[in-house]
């Protein structure tokens, strides 16, 4: 295995991710974060040191010796917080280990890169979990949601995998909404209220979603990328969309697949919406968790909240949601 490593830098919401990694990992990260290049001054540095190892016996990351508390259900592995040392430890099978020490702003990752899935998990799932913790320590609080905006007003669509976020994202892209993210947004307080920033990436779509939209048929004729369960749409290459950095949250829409042809939009109260999005709070350091919860509670109080039972009327859904953005807060809640 080649020992040569490459340097990368990505500026994400005022935090500079300085990366040292293999060529294989660099290719994966460059594709994922191509919309977040570091063009100059960014902010605080967080160092990511990715080590490619030949087999599990050579991992450079060790699990802390003190008592840890699980904070995320990691498939085939562990995601634990160690309060005594304020440290996060992650593992995936035998092929991946990672740790983050906030006091030193250093992430160490050890990956058996000969197994392609490990590279994907390290650069996506593991890195996303770590990025959530890194940014919320800096006042940016995550929400597992797609985000779109118009005239600076954002619609946020929180939901777990399988709730239909990606299909709705394609429908919103087709309708030429501004694009924040299809999967993860970050909230912060400003003098004029909450603001939201996206993590703009390719939209991951299933074969079923592709079949709803004829312009995506070309994706079925090409193989999936190594390690990916879905196919990727580059929004700016397929649709006339604009990627935006920031907007003000206006509406929350909680989607679920109905199986019906027509979609139904129903107002819900802030308490119901909060219960749905509370699992976004990873239970690590207590003060940070409380701040995260406070921001989410503030979000549902300040926005109009809806349940969307999603049908297959993908041309009509964006029209319906665009109407919500055009209303005043009092009108939306009525």
């Amino acid at each position: 295995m080649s020992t040569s490593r490459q340097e990368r830098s990505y500026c994400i919401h005022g935090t500079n991710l300085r990366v040292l990694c293999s060529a294989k990992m660099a290719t994966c990260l460059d594709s994922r974060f191509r919309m977040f290049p570091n063009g100059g001054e960014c902010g605080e540095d967080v160092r990511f040191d990715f080590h490619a190892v030949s087999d599990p016996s050579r991992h450079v990351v060790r699990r802390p010796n003190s008592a840890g508390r699980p904070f995320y259900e990691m498939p085939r592995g562990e995601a634990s917080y160690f309060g005594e040392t304020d440290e996060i430890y992650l593992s995936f099978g035998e092929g991946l280990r990672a740790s983050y020490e906030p006091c030193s702003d250093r992430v160490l990752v050890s990956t058996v890169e000969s197994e392609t899935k490990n590279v994907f998990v390290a650069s996506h799932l593991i890195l996303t979990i770590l990025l959530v913790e890194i940014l919320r320590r800096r006042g940016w609080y995550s929400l597992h949601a797609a985000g779109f905006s118009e005239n600076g007003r954002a619609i946020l669509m929180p939901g777990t995998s399988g709730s239909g976020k990606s299909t709705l994202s394609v429908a919103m892209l087709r309708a030429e909404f501004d694009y924040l993210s299809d999967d993860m947004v970050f909230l912060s307080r400003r003098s004029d209220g909450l603001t939201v920033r996206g993590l703009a990436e390719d939209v991951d779509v299933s074969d079923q979603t592709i079949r709803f939209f004829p312009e995506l048929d070309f994706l079925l004729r090409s193989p999936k990328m190594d390690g990916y369960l879905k196919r990727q749409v580059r929004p700016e290459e397929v649709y006339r969309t604009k990627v935006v950095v920031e907007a003000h949250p206006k509406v929350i829409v909680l989607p679920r697949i109905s199986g019906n042809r027509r979609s139904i939009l129903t107002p819900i109260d802030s308490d119901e919406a909060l219960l749905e999005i509370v699992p976004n709070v990873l239970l690590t350091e207590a003060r940070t968790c409380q701040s995260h919860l406070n921001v989410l509670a503030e979000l549902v109080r300040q926005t109009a909240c809806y349940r969307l039972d999603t049908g297959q009327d993908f041309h009509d859904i964006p029209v319906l949601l665009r109407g919500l953005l055009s209303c005043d807060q009092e009108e939306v809640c009525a």
Side-chain angles (χ1 to χ4, degrees):
M1 183 177 295
S2 172
T3 58
S4 64
R5 296 209 285 168
Q6 301 183 5
E7 295 184 10
R8 290 293 189 271
S9 183
Y10 310 100
C11 184
I12 301 180
H13 306 329
T15 298
N16 187 28
L17 309 188
R18 301 187 66 88
V19 178
L20 189 63
C21 61
S22 69
K24 181 184 290 188
M25 187 67 71
T27 298
C28 202
L29 293 174
D30 285 345
S31 176
R32 183 181 184 192
F33 294 133
R34 70 180 187 282
M35 299 182 194
F36 296 94
N38 184 6
E41 294 296 323
C42 179
E44 297 179 73
D45 286 353
V46 177
R47 297 187 177 275
F48 281 76
D49 195 356
F50 287 86
H51 288 262
V53 297
S54 57
D55 62 75
S57 68
R58 298 182 178 275
H59 279 307
V60 299
V61 178
R62 298 287 180 265
R63 189 180 188 278
N65 291 323
S66 57
R69 180 181 71 249
F71 66 88
Y72 181 85
E73 188 174 343
M74 178 69 71
R76 294 179 51 201
E78 177 184 3
S80 293
Y81 174 69
F82 295 80
E84 186 176 320
T85 54
D86 190 24
E87 184 177 358
I88 285 176
Y89 172 80
L90 303 164
S91 69
F92 178 79
E94 294 296 318
L96 180 55
R97 303 286 184 269
S99 66
Y100 168 48
E101 299 175 350
C103 63
S104 62
D105 274 335
R106 180 170 181 254
V107 174
L108 187 61
V109 184
S110 180
T111 310
V112 180
E113 290 193 357
S114 56
E115 296 181 29
T116 302
K117 188 170 186 178
N118 291 332
V119 178
F120 173 80
V121 173
S123 61
H124 286 73
L125 176 59
I126 297 294
L127 184 50
T128 298
I129 293 171
L130 295 171
L131 189 59
V132 163
E133 186 68 16
I134 289 166
L135 289 180
R136 73 178 187 166
R137 300 267 181 147
R138 289 159 171 76
W140 287 99
Y141 301 95
S142 65
L143 179 63
H144 189 189
F148 294 86
S149 71
E150 198 165 70
N151 299 321
R153 295 176 168 187
I155 294 176
L156 305 180
M157 297 184 284
T160 57
S161 179
S163 63
K165 291 196 311 298
S166 294
T167 303
L168 287 173
S169 291
V170 175
M172 299 292 275
L173 291 169
R174 297 176 102 214
E176 300 183 15
F177 278 84
D178 294 338
Y179 180 54
L180 287 162
S181 177
D182 85 309
D183 194 60
M184 180 74 69
V185 298
F186 294 89
L187 300 150
S188 188
R189 291 187 179 91
R190 291 289 186 265
S191 58
D192 57 348
L194 291 179
T195 189
V196 58
R197 289 186 177 180
L199 190 62
E201 302 180 72
D202 296 343
V203 180
D204 292 336
V205 291
S206 66
D207 290 357
Q208 181 180 6
T209 293
I210 291 170
R211 294 187 181 99
F212 288 135
F213 305 105
E215 70 274 15
L216 300 182
D217 282 347
F218 72 96
L219 293 173
L220 296 175
R221 297 191 293 272
S222 58
K224 295 177 184 177
M225 294 176 61
D226 288 344
Y228 288 69
L229 298 177
K230 297 183 178 181
R231 303 175 197 271
Q232 287 67 50
V233 179
R234 291 199 165 196
E236 74 279 15
E237 293 181 0
V238 180
Y239 299 105
R240 295 173 57 187
T241 190
K242 178 174 68 175
V243 177
V244 293
V245 175
E246 189 169 275
H248 289 287
K250 172 73 173 178
V251 179
I252 292 175
V253 175
L254 294 160
R256 62 187 177 192
I257 299 171
S258 70
N260 299 321
R261 188 159 189 81
R262 301 289 299 178
S263 299
I264 299 175
L265 189 67
T266 307
I268 60 174
D269 63 33
S270 59
D271 289 341
E272 183 178 350
L274 183 59
L275 285 175
E276 293 261 355
I277 65 176
V278 159
N280 283 266
V281 181
L282 301 181
L283 300 178
T284 59
E285 192 269 330
R287 186 183 305 174
T288 305
C289 293
Q290 186 61 58
S291 296
H292 196 166
L293 181 60
N294 292 344
V295 165
L296 294 182
E298 188 174 340
L299 173 69
V300 298
R301 288 196 304 268
Q302 294 184 5
T303 57
C305 303
Y306 288 84
R307 172 86 59 199
L308 178 66
D309 290 293
T310 310
Q312 297 183 14
D313 49 344
F314 300 118
H315 178 76
D316 296 330
I317 291 172
V319 177
L320 185 65
L321 299 185
R322 183 169 270 126
L324 299 181
L325 288 182
S326 65
C327 296
D328 292 331
Q329 181 75 17
E330 291 78 10
E331 294 174 341
V332 173
C333 293

